[in-house]
Amino acid sequence: MEHISTPKVENVKLLDRYANRKTASGTLYLTATHLIYVDASAEVRKETWILHHHISSVEKLPLTTAGYPLLIHCKNFHVAHFVIGQERDCQDVFTSLLKLSQPVKPEELYAFSYNPKMSKESREMGWKLIDLRLDYQRMGIPNDSWEITDLNKDYEAALCRCSQPLAGFSARCLEDEQMLQAIREANPGCPFMYVVDTRPKLNAMANRAAGKGYENEDHYENIRFKFIGIENIHVMRSSLQKLLEVCEMKSPSMSDFLTGLENSGWLRHIKAVMDAGVFLAKAVREERASVLVHCSDGWDRTAQVCSLASLLLDPFYRTFKGFMVLIEKEWIAMGHKFSHRCGHLDGDPKEVSPVFTQFVECVWQLMQQFPCSFEFSERFLLEIHDHVYSCQFGNFLGTCHKDREELSDQMFFVLARIFEKTHSLWPFLLQRKQELRNPLYRGFTAYKELQPNTLPFSFQFWCGMYNRFDKGMHPKQCVLDQLLSCSSQKVTLEDSASQLQNKLPILDGSLPSKGCTSPKAGVAAAKASPPPQDCAEGAAPVLSNGPSLGHQKHKESPAQPQDVRACREDGQAQHQG
């Protein structure tokens, strides 16, 4: 709270970019973790919560006749445009948000103060929910060619996923050549292996001047080398910024929007990542070849394409649990610089890049082509994406597993206590599995391998991600949400029908037919029900332990279940339902 000089500001306006409605007027609050705006002009209390860690930039705009504007851009693509009446209040809020949204020390991250009132045992079980050894066992590892080892416990080596070799223009590394040979020989089903460099060839050649570069095929036996051509983090950061500028255009023409989308290059980059994943999957599926993948450092493009290839090849990774395992394995355990790429701490802005965002979008693009192949919905992807940036859970803190265990480096002393002081995201998402599931999912074995179309017309703009908070832009109904709602309503109605069956009166004292309740329940209902002539006069029968059958809880009138109809046909009197 030390950074908050003005915790409450009244008469603050919240502008809406798209909806043609009256500007909201309310009160803005600053807490230790959130900015909260309460709309006083709404008929029903309406609150807007913005987590400080989600804020990517705060900008003071020139004075207007309405007051002092404050524009907030968030990492989850929420844009909030406030107008504050007094300059001093605006300056105080601006200064506070700059400090609150850019913590300097790891212990200031939200995960270390977040307390969901969970027992220590439950928190520890949450961290044990994902066990990567079980995933390797599922794939048949260890075996005669591969084994699980702690040889790299001091983080001195890498295998199969790696960074660029120190090849330069003429250097050789005998150990590296022998390692690739061992990988190739571990797969007797193919006489060669692929080495895939995800960078553009020009970039890789430039790195040779610094003594790095890529593998020389003349020095490696039976390898096939391929460049993919995914651009670096700086190009991706610039591309996203251009995309967001298009998304924030207030009333663009179709031509302006399409031109801006094309000029951003965003979908072109998404296609490049998808093409790489498709190539890897095809090499494994059709040629039965082993593949070694690297980029410059092995923690950005490499994570993207290996994850996508796994999704295409293995339906397990398209389930709730499998997708969590995939992220833990390819992104968290293997090492992705979440802290730098997501800007968790105040640092070099040139290290920030939407690498994980691109992966999440590639998954969404696959879901558009294969809507029945994923157990989870778009909402599940958005929840994960939000929490990568929120720092509410400990999963995505630090840059690699070494950071999370490091004790000697004072910088990461707090991060060493991640597993003791923070909570894992996965059990919280599994608790919401029902609302995050895909109602079109056809099961684990319906689609074993996916072969997506990567022609340009196959890629769509993801409005649900980049304009998610602009309610005026969305369709009034979402098909999948409607299906989930209907499915939930069906369960509720079935429960209600079951309860009503247990209360149906037995008018002649005889036992109900086989579709109805137990004999004891039927007799009890018969004793409690009114005489049958009441029903004949049109009155709904009154039950002893519930409302009348003529006034059901739900407005809809569902079709009567077969067993209910059977009971009524066996009765001597007709009742209203």
Side-chain angles (χ1 to χ4, degrees):
M1 298 292 287
E2 59 180 312
H3 299 311
I4 302 175
S5 55
T6 304
K8 177 182 177 181
V9 182
E10 296 181 334
N11 300 319
V12 176
K13 295 180 173 61
L14 176 60
L15 307 185
D16 192 298
R17 292 186 297 159
Y18 297 100
N20 295 322
R21 62 188 184 192
K22 184 180 178 181
T23 300
S25 180
T27 303
L28 187 150
Y29 299 89
L30 290 182
T31 71
T33 57
H34 290 79
L35 178 157
I36 306 172
Y37 179 77
V38 180
D39 185 356
S41 59
E43 295 181 1
V44 179
R45 182 183 175 91
K46 182 179 179 181
E47 298 180 354
T48 300
W49 289 59
I50 299 177
L51 186 66
H52 296 325
H53 287 318
H54 271 160
I55 297 175
S56 61
S57 68
V58 186
E59 183 181 1
K60 287 176 63 179
L61 301 180
L63 175 66
T64 67
T65 55
Y68 297 84
L70 199 63
L71 186 62
I72 298 175
H73 285 87
C74 297
K75 298 170 184 177
N76 60 351
F77 312 116
H78 186 186
V79 178
H81 192 167
F82 296 104
V83 178
I84 300 175
Q86 300 297 321
E87 181 180 13
R88 180 177 177 180
D89 290 338
C90 182
Q91 181 63 35
D92 287 347
V93 172
F94 172 74
T95 304
S96 297
L97 289 179
L98 284 181
K99 295 178 180 178
L100 292 167
S101 63
Q102 298 175 354
V104 176
K105 301 176 182 178
E107 58 263 36
E108 295 175 351
L109 296 174
Y110 184 26
F112 294 103
S113 61
Y114 174 60
N115 182 14
K117 306 299 182 183
M118 179 182 291
S119 68
K120 178 182 177 181
E121 292 74 18
S122 297
R123 178 182 55 75
E124 292 175 348
M125 287 300 296
W127 281 113
K128 297 176 182 178
L129 182 64
I130 303 298
D131 187 346
L132 296 184
R133 286 179 177 266
L134 295 179
D135 193 46
Y136 287 120
Q137 291 174 12
R138 185 182 64 86
M139 294 185 286
I141 298 174
N143 54 36
D144 293 339
S145 300
W146 298 94
E147 67 178 38
I148 299 174
T149 175
D150 63 355
L151 184 65
N152 193 32
K153 63 182 179 181
D154 296 324
Y155 307 99
E156 296 174 349
L159 181 64
C160 288
R161 263 189 57 178
C162 62
S163 59
Q164 62 186 329
L166 302 178
F169 289 105
S170 59
R172 293 183 62 175
C173 178
L174 209 53
E175 291 81 5
D176 190 62
E177 295 170 20
Q178 291 172 346
M179 184 181 73
L180 265 65
Q181 181 180 352
I183 295 174
R184 179 180 57 79
E185 292 177 350
N187 178 13
C190 186
F192 65 90
M193 69 173 288
Y194 280 105
V195 176
V196 174
D197 191 327
T198 58
R199 298 169 294 179
K201 185 175 182 179
L202 188 62
N203 295 21
M205 292 178 66
N207 282 329
R208 276 193 162 185
K212 302 175 183 178
Y214 55 93
E215 292 82 358
N216 187 332
E217 291 184 75
D218 295 335
H219 299 160
Y220 294 83
E221 184 180 354
N222 295 323
I223 72 166
R224 295 184 181 181
F225 194 88
K226 182 176 178 61
F227 286 106
I228 293 293
I230 302 173
E231 297 290 352
N232 62 32
I233 61 171
H234 311 295
V235 174
M236 299 306 187
R237 181 177 60 251
S238 174
S239 177
L240 178 62
Q241 183 57 43
K242 293 176 182 177
L243 175 72
L244 296 180
E245 290 172 1
V246 175
C247 295
E248 292 176 26
M249 296 170 65
K250 187 167 185 179
S251 301
S253 65
M254 179 62 76
S255 176
D256 290 341
F257 178 80
L258 294 178
T259 301
L261 183 60
E262 169 62 20
N263 290 340
S264 74
W266 183 254
L267 288 181
R268 186 164 62 251
H269 298 313
I270 295 296
K271 172 176 163 50
V273 176
M274 188 78 80
D275 280 333
V278 169
F279 176 82
L280 298 186
K282 186 176 180 181
V284 173
R285 180 182 63 248
E286 298 183 6
E287 301 182 74
R288 303 296 177 186
S290 296
V291 185
L292 175 69
V293 185
H294 69 71
C295 49
S296 296
D297 300 299
W299 51 49
D300 292 318
R301 289 166 282 202
T302 304
Q304 289 176 328
V305 301
C306 289
S307 300
L308 281 177
S310 299
L311 276 170
L312 296 175
L313 290 168
D314 192 341
F316 170 68
Y317 295 123
R318 296 173 228 142
T319 65
F320 280 104
K321 186 73 173 289
F323 196 70
M324 296 173 185
V325 169
L326 183 67
I327 292 176
E328 280 282 346
K329 181 171 64 175
E330 298 292 347
W331 293 86
I332 298 175
M334 290 288 187
H336 173 65
K337 300 172 70 174
F338 282 107
S339 181
H340 296 171
R341 298 292 181 259
C342 301
H344 290 164
L345 297 172
D346 187 19
D348 186 356
K350 293 182 179 179
E351 283 290 299
V352 175
S353 190
V355 178
F356 190 78
T357 299
Q358 288 182 316
F359 165 66
V360 172
E361 172 157 349
C362 285
V363 178
W364 180 82
Q365 297 284 355
L366 286 175
M367 292 169 70
Q368 305 315 295
Q369 292 196 38
F370 304 97
C372 303
S373 300
F374 292 82
E375 185 181 14
F376 46 83
S377 66
E378 172 191 66
R379 192 174 298 175
F380 178 70
L381 296 179
L382 295 174
E383 285 287 337
I384 293 177
H385 184 268
D386 282 355
H387 286 300
V388 164
Y389 288 96
S390 73
C391 299
Q392 184 173 346
F393 299 92
N395 305 70
F396 307 106
L397 304 187
T399 62
C400 62
H401 199 65
K402 183 182 179 182
D403 277 356
R404 301 179 186 99
E405 294 184 344
E406 186 64 68
L407 293 173
S408 59
D409 189 340
Q410 187 64 32
M411 170 71 178
F412 292 106
F413 176 74
V414 176
L415 292 181
R417 304 195 313 239
I418 281 179
F419 306 109
E420 301 175 7
K421 299 296 183 181
T422 70
H423 296 266
S424 171
L425 170 64
W426 309 131
F428 286 83
L429 291 181
L430 288 177
Q431 289 176 1
R432 301 175 54 197
K433 186 175 179 179
Q434 181 62 27
E435 66 180 278
L436 300 175
R437 70 182 182 88
N438 172 18
L440 300 179
Y441 182 56
R442 292 185 58 185
F444 188 85
T445 58
Y447 298 89
K448 293 185 178 180
E449 297 169 351
L450 304 183
Q451 301 181 45
N453 190 329
T454 59
L455 291 174
F457 59 75
S458 302
F459 295 88
Q460 305 176 33
F461 171 71
W462 191 3
C463 182
M465 169 72 92
Y466 305 108
N467 288 108
R468 176 170 33 139
F469 298 95
D470 299 317
K471 302 302 182 183
M473 292 188 63
H474 290 277
K476 295 188 180 299
Q477 290 183 338
C478 172
V479 174
L480 294 185
D481 285 346
Q482 285 293 105
L483 284 174
L484 276 177
S485 176
C486 290
S487 176
S488 177
Q489 187 179 42
K490 176 186 175 185
V491 173
T492 302
L493 291 175
E494 287 175 345
D495 290 343
S496 298
S498 177
Q499 294 175 11
L500 292 174
Q501 290 172 27
N502 292 334
K503 296 177 180 179
L504 281 174
I506 306 303
L507 303 178
D508 58 355
S510 62
L511 294 178
S513 63
K514 61 181 180 180
C516 292
T517 63
S518 65
K520 292 182 179 180
V523 171
K527 292 180 179 179
S529 62
Q533 60 266 25
D534 292 342
C535 299
E537 296 174 0
V542 179
L543 304 180
S544 59
N545 294 313
S548 69
L549 290 174
H551 299 83
Q552 296 197 20
K553 180 179 180 181
H554 298 280
K555 295 181 180 180
E556 293 82 354
S557 298
Q560 298 296 333
Q562 186 64 35
D563 49 0
V564 176
R565 290 198 298 267
C567 288
R568 293 182 176 179
E569 290 170 358
D570 289 344
Q572 294 181 352
Q574 297 295 321
H575 298 269
Q576 293 181 347

